[in-house]
Amino acid sequence: MRRVRSTALHLTSIAVGAAIVVPIVFGVLGGFKDNGQLFNSPFGLPDPWILGNYTDVLGSEMFWRQMGNSFGVALATTALVVIVAAMAAFVFARYSFPGREGVFTLFAVGLMFPFAVAILPLFVLLRSMGLLDNPLGVILPQAAFGLPVTIIILRSFFRSIPAEVEESAVLDGCSPFGFFWRILLPMARPAIATVSVLAIVGSWNNFLLPLIVFNDSEWWTLPLGVRQFQTQYSTDTARVLAYVTLAMVPSLAFYAIAERHLISGLTSGLGKG
């Protein structure tokens, strides 16, 4: 039974890995082909290899503007959600006060609130605040919807820090904010890295919110750029594949770099969550 279970687990892992890797490889190789090669040999190697699809995209000013917009929105969203969630998680983890668990549960309920349900009232609210065609119209809602999972992860990690560490800091004359800033945050780097990865990738892949906020193409992010490029070159599938591949490279690279921190941050403090 153990061997059967192990074999089934390996086969499932291979199937899941193939389902993820095969489309990526197909897109990367497809960008080096022309439409004729894609039609005649969709899963074969390019023959000849055509670099023009990638160089045309990389030479596009619009592509780099959209990438810059995506980076700016993602970094601002991450900074805001991590700073606010870290302070809230510190209070929920290290202080006892009436209604603490109720307020924390209210944040946790936010995980069950679909973003798409709020899109219409959110659009009306942003319009009334004058935040359409404004990066803040994307940054602030993304940060708000990212708070629940970020607070839950950071609170779990903060609660795993022994109380003796805080007592020693207080005896050395450290204020509560000093303990939070100088001791707790440096110790929480794996958890902070985890929530930062989740926030950056979530912002990078967000399509619906930028779609309703940005009417001016100067503010478009890469997901909107992919849609526009696909519409513009709907008959040139190879060029569209090249654009999509280049658009997903930053998020894949960031995941690859932060993978170790992501895993360790998700598993840290689970015993006291």
Side-chain angles (χ1 to χ4, degrees), residues 181-254:
W181 182 256
R182 299 178 183 177
I183 299 176
L184 199 60
L185 286 185
M187 295 179 68
R189 279 182 297 181
I192 292 175
T194 298
V195 296
S196 297
V197 171
L198 296 176
I200 287 178
V201 175
S203 173
W204 191 272
N205 294 329
N206 196 344
F207 172 78
L208 186 57
L209 183 58
L211 177 64
I212 69 165
V213 173
F214 296 139
N215 294 314
D216 187 352
S217 61
E218 294 295 316
W219 289 110
W220 282 0
T221 56
L222 272 177
L224 297 183
V226 169
R227 186 202 62 162
Q228 184 272 338
F229 194 86
Q230 185 177 3
T231 302
Q232 182 178 355
Y233 297 96
S234 58
T235 59
D236 194 347
T237 306
R239 182 173 293 192
V240 172
L241 289 175
Y243 194 99
V244 172
T245 298
L246 291 174
M248 67 182 179
V249 163
S251 59
L252 291 177
F254 193 77

Side-chain angles (χ1 to χ4, degrees), residues 75-85 139-140 143-144 147:
L75 292 178
T77 299
T78 302
L80 181 60
V81 72
V82 170
I83 291 173
V84 174
I139 294 170
L140 295 178
L147 282 177

Side-chain angles (χ1 to χ4, degrees), residues 129-201:
M129 297 175 64
L131 292 180
L132 297 182
D133 279 327
N134 188 324
L136 289 177
V138 175
I139 294 170
L140 295 178
Q142 283 186 161
F145 278 89
L147 282 177
V149 66
T150 307
I151 290 176
I152 290 173
I153 293 175
L154 291 181
R155 186 208 192 203
S156 176
F157 191 93
F158 289 166
R159 292 185 68 180
S160 70
I161 304 299
E164 290 78 7
V165 176
E166 184 174 2
E167 293 171 359
S168 299
V170 172
L171 291 176
D172 289 337
C174 193
S175 65
F177 183 78
F179 169 73
F180 167 73
W181 182 256
R182 299 178 183 177
I183 299 176
L184 199 60
L185 286 185
M187 295 179 68
R189 279 182 297 181
I192 292 175
T194 298
V195 296
S196 297
V197 171
L198 296 176
I200 287 178
V201 175

